[in-house]
Amino acid sequence: MLIKDLGRVEGTVEDLQPVTLKQLIPLDLLDSFIGIYWHVGKGKFIIYKAPLLDAKYAVVEMGQDYDEQSNTDDLQIDYNVFHMDIWYEDVLKKYPEFTGCEFDYFSRGRILY
């Protein structure tokens, strides 16, 4: 989620926490979640999520240049844990049928909902 026109708030972007942005997030988004997922086939998804303002799993960072249209001056809220870490530390324990599959075997992504 991009936070446009935020500008600099006291300190650096590393000092910002999602709760710091509470006044800037539209009310209809305050109950939203951010997370990561894998599509493991046949309409089945493995999803790890956290509330948008969760200071442990949500992180504020500079926008990433995914394509030529990206504005890297914008801030975004992102999930703070990598797919690889969750796959090996948690998913394989809960879903032993995927043992032998690397974290990037299935389609994966990030989601805000």
Side-chain angles (χ1 to χ4, degrees):
M1 172 182 168
L2 295 178
I3 309 295
K4 294 183 179 179
D5 302 320
L6 178 64
R8 289 290 176 191
V9 180
E10 298 174 17
T12 65
V13 76
E14 290 81 17
D15 297 328
L16 290 176
Q17 294 291 321
V19 291
T20 309
L21 302 173
K22 188 171 186 176
Q23 301 297 326
L24 300 171
I25 297 174
L27 291 177
D28 58 332
L29 292 179
L30 286 178
D31 294 329
S32 297
F33 289 86
I34 192 163
I36 62 174
Y37 70 88
W38 290 266
H39 178 229
V40 293
K42 297 183 182 177
K44 182 177 179 183
F45 289 84
I46 297 174
I47 300 172
Y48 281 77
K49 65 180 183 174
L52 187 62
L53 296 178
D54 183 319
K56 178 179 179 184
Y57 289 107
V59 64
V60 179
E61 60 189 7
M62 295 307 292
Q64 297 180 14
D65 191 14
Y66 289 119
D67 58 40
E68 294 176 4
Q69 304 299 320
S70 295
N71 182 352
T72 56
D73 292 332
D74 285 337
L75 296 177
Q76 68 180 11
I77 295 178
D78 198 0
Y79 198 70
N80 196 29
V81 184
F82 294 109
H83 283 85
M84 182 173 67
D85 297 334
I86 292 179
W87 184 261
Y88 296 117
E89 293 172 12
D90 195 44
V91 172
L92 292 180
K93 291 176 187 172
K94 290 183 178 178
Y95 302 95
E97 65 268 27
F98 300 129
T99 300
C101 296
E102 297 295 324
F103 80 97
D104 57 356
Y105 178 77
F106 297 106
S107 298
R108 64 194 188 288
R110 296 175 182 273
I111 189 166
L112 172 69
Y113 61 97

